[in-house]
Amino acid sequence: MLIYRFLTGEDDSAFCHKVTKALSEGWALHGSPQYAFDATSGLMRCGQAVTREVADQPYDPDKKLIDYR
């Protein structure tokens, strides 16, 4: 089964660390990063989709994605 997450955050090193942590946990980049200007805060925001292949099992929306193995 393939699971999906969309990571978001300010365009800063903390966002890069968030993506790097996901990659170190077995997630893979999915598509290109996205950028948008947040007019309320005046900051650029980033987003990056990541996916991970896990053992076939029933999907449970109440289960945290990090708990799928």
Side-chain angles (χ1 to χ4, degrees):
M1 177 170 83
L2 189 65
I3 56 176
Y4 169 92
R5 290 172 62 191
F6 189 71
L7 306 172
T8 61
E10 288 183 26
D11 185 12
D12 59 12
S13 64
F15 177 76
C16 295
H17 286 284
K18 184 187 294 189
V19 173
T20 300
K21 182 176 186 298
L23 295 173
S24 75
E25 293 172 344
W27 295 85
L29 298 176
H30 181 80
S32 299
Q34 303 295 309
Y35 297 93
F37 181 70
D38 180 348
T40 302
S41 67
L43 300 171
M44 290 299 291
R45 302 280 181 189
C46 300
Q48 175 64 58
V50 292
T51 59
R52 186 171 71 180
E53 188 71 37
V54 297
D56 283 335
Q57 57 197 285
Y59 173 70
D60 179 357
D62 294 325
K63 188 175 182 178
K64 292 182 178 181
L65 294 175
I66 196 73
D67 292 335
Y68 281 96
R69 301 285 174 205

